[in-house]
Amino acid sequence: MERNELQSLQELKEEEKIKILDRASNGILEKENADFLIKLIDNAENKTEVLKISALGMTYKRTGFHFDVRLEKNGGQTIRYLKKNENLSFDQGGITHKLIIGDNYPALLNLLINYKNKIKVIYIDPPYGKDHLGVFAQTNYNNAITRDNLLSMLYPRLILARQLLKDDGVIFCSIDDRNQAYVKCLFDEVFGEGNFLYMLSVVNNLNGNDNSSGMIETQEHCLFYAKNKDYFEVGVLPLDDEDSSDWQIDDLGYWKLGGSLKATGINAPREARPNLFFPIWINKQTLEISLEEQNNNWHKLIPLTDGKEMSWYWSKDKFIKDKDEVIVKKVGESYSLYKKQRPQLGDLPSKRAKTTFYSPKYANANSNKELKEIFKEKKFDYPKASFFIKDLISIANTNHNDIILDFFAGSGTTGHAVLELNKQDGGNRQFILVTNNEITDLNPNGIALDVTSKRLKRIMSGECYDESKDFKWLEKNTPYGDSLEVSEIQSIASSDHSVFEKIDEKLYGKDFENIHDKIEWICKEFELTCRKIEGE
């Protein structure tokens, strides 16, 4: 047992012990209680036990707010692993995206085997409504102080999510008015209050929802946290069509009229910055500029404001070096100089995002229409708009090869958004989606089978699994391409030796040449298999 201890298990133990010691040092936990929890963690046999024990010492040290922890149901002495669904998977070349069907808790544990510190963006839209959390986690809306079940369900999943994130990774969480304060406290505890970036107000219905409360509700919220704020820089948004009319293109890409090059403010007068006062010569016909004295058809321009000599923002060397970045405008009998404003996303015009996150494309009506064009009928309640997720990925400042995870994937909007963004900028981002197969009135075979997998199949290949192509989305869109690997969470008794045959290491990026290496790997990476029979 000791010899075959999981390295990742030991790392998790050390991380959780540090948190407990930190709580004790801050007077949140009694020393005796902290020592007892650490002793329990040292003797824990798997990651689930570690998280349960750590949760017992959970408090909100910054707010005084706390919840009564309800532990994850014990799955027994079983191993939960990924099994490929050959019928739902398809290979078209390109990037291989992933869809995992099943409970997201064992799915996250399985992802840790191959994706620890590799995920750039996580987006989740947890089921925070009282009727959507299942038997174990039904939020009690009559309890005005705590959301024990919701928070207990999220806590271990966020711990695992943080381990999956890269150092410069970020996580977004959509949440409603009623729960946002509680869930933010949970995020503060797991990710650290110092890594909070923004609380976005997402306007998804400008006309509002009339819930007879006295006011019209127009938005929900989206939490935005970094794994480590010091390593992250907020990205920008590409311009919508209606925002792009002011942009022009030259040999260097997009540009539009920027700020004046004549200085303003307390340091603008000539005497404050004498080195930045000098004449600039402007050709009256071509509007070309020169720093050398010219004659005849040239105008001598000096920086003046109300007849007072001022200065330029740029030095002489800067004007010479970047003269193609100068815009000359004639104003009456004189001239004014402006700089070209360049976009921040390569050759794509862009804008800074606002914390009030609004676009007509985010509207609930638009997201419902988008899904209906793929399925011809309503298949899912309250889907998110792919435009909204795409914009979140943009402000997450992803590069072209990053991985995006959604472990409450629902209808698969996050996957749709990643595919659209790759098409837009030529990226190779990979999505990983996790969803259960909850059976609903709209989806008698379950959400994963009736909605998520079928949506991805249709928009990626242009046809459904039955090879039908009669859906409206194809009229205005070209299939995105790429491949999809679909796997399901399976369980097996830890004492069943057939586990070494049933676990497919290729689903975890491995390909062993002999069974001994595979057995050693499974015993190392999967909980409970560490208990090898003595002598084997």
Side-chain angles (χ1 to χ4, degrees), residues 75-83 106 110 488-504 508 522 526-529 531:
Q77 298 300 302
T78 59
I79 299 165
R80 290 180 286 186
Y81 63 97
L82 300 178
K83 181 180 180 181
N110 274 268
E488 298 178 84
I489 299 293
Q490 299 289 317
S491 298
I492 188 172
S494 59
S495 58
D496 189 338
H497 287 198
S498 67
V499 65
F500 301 112
E501 299 173 3
K502 292 187 175 181
I503 292 180
D504 182 0
Y508 302 87
I522 290 176
F526 288 84
E527 298 172 358
L528 302 176
T529 57
R531 299 178 182 149

Side-chain angles (χ1 to χ4, degrees), residues 182-209:
Y182 304 98
V183 173
K184 183 184 184 300
C185 287
L186 182 63
F187 270 76
D188 282 345
E189 185 71 20
V190 174
F191 289 91
E193 191 172 352
N195 290 315
F196 169 71
L197 295 171
Y198 300 100
M199 173 71 82
L200 305 178
S201 178
V202 183
V203 181
N204 54 13
N205 188 348
L206 196 57
N207 292 325
N209 296 309

Side-chain angles (χ1 to χ4, degrees), residues 396-411:
N397 215 1
T398 61
N399 66 42
H400 283 193
N401 298 303
D402 277 329
I403 304 171
I404 291 87
L405 168 65
D406 182 345
F407 55 88
F408 286 100
S411 69

Side-chain angles (χ1 to χ4, degrees), residues 17-31 34 61:
K17 284 159 60 176
I18 289 173
K19 291 180 182 178
I20 288 173
L21 289 172
D22 181 58
R23 292 170 195 158
S25 66
N26 287 325
I28 307 302
L29 286 176
E30 293 292 335
K31 183 178 184 304
K61 59 189 177 186

Side-chain angles (χ1 to χ4, degrees), residues 152-283:
S152 293
M153 180 269 290
L154 282 177
Y155 175 67
R157 288 160 175 79
L158 293 180
I159 292 290
L160 299 177
R162 188 179 185 280
Q163 294 184 65
L164 286 166
L165 283 175
K166 297 169 62 176
D167 288 340
D168 64 345
V170 295
I171 182 170
F172 298 95
C173 177
S174 288
I175 198 69
D176 65 342
D177 283 326
R178 199 181 292 251
N179 288 292
Q180 62 87 13
Y182 304 98
V183 173
K184 183 184 184 300
C185 287
L186 182 63
F187 270 76
D188 282 345
E189 185 71 20
V190 174
F191 289 91
E193 191 172 352
N195 290 315
F196 169 71
L197 295 171
Y198 300 100
M199 173 71 82
L200 305 178
S201 178
V202 183
V203 181
N204 54 13
N205 188 348
L206 196 57
N207 292 325
N209 296 309
D210 185 0
N211 61 6
S212 302
S213 65
M215 297 188 72
I216 302 296
E217 296 181 357
T218 60
Q219 81 267 346
E220 62 178 15
H221 306 279
C222 186
L223 289 164
F224 185 5
Y225 278 76
K227 181 177 182 178
N228 189 323
K229 195 173 183 179
D230 293 338
Y231 296 136
F232 176 71
E233 182 177 347
V234 179
V236 291
L237 297 175
L239 289 182
D240 296 327
D241 293 339
E242 58 268 26
D243 296 325
S244 60
S245 58
D246 293 335
W247 291 88
Q248 302 181 53
I249 302 177
D250 61 15
D251 292 340
L252 297 179
Y254 286 96
W255 66 272
K256 70 177 180 179
L257 183 69
S260 171
L261 289 172
K262 185 174 68 174
T264 59
I266 60 174
N267 290 321
R270 175 179 181 177
E271 56 269 22
R273 307 180 75 179
N275 291 336
L276 296 182
F277 175 85
F278 48 84
I280 293 178
W281 299 86
I282 298 173
N283 188 301

Side-chain angles (χ1 to χ4, degrees), residues 315-333:
S315 66
K316 287 184 178 181
D317 289 343
K318 176 72 171 174
F319 269 105
I320 294 171
K321 178 183 176 183
D322 292 332
K323 66 178 182 179
D324 291 334
E325 296 296 298
V326 177
I327 302 168
V328 181
K329 284 187 170 290
K330 187 173 182 179
V331 182
E333 295 301 317

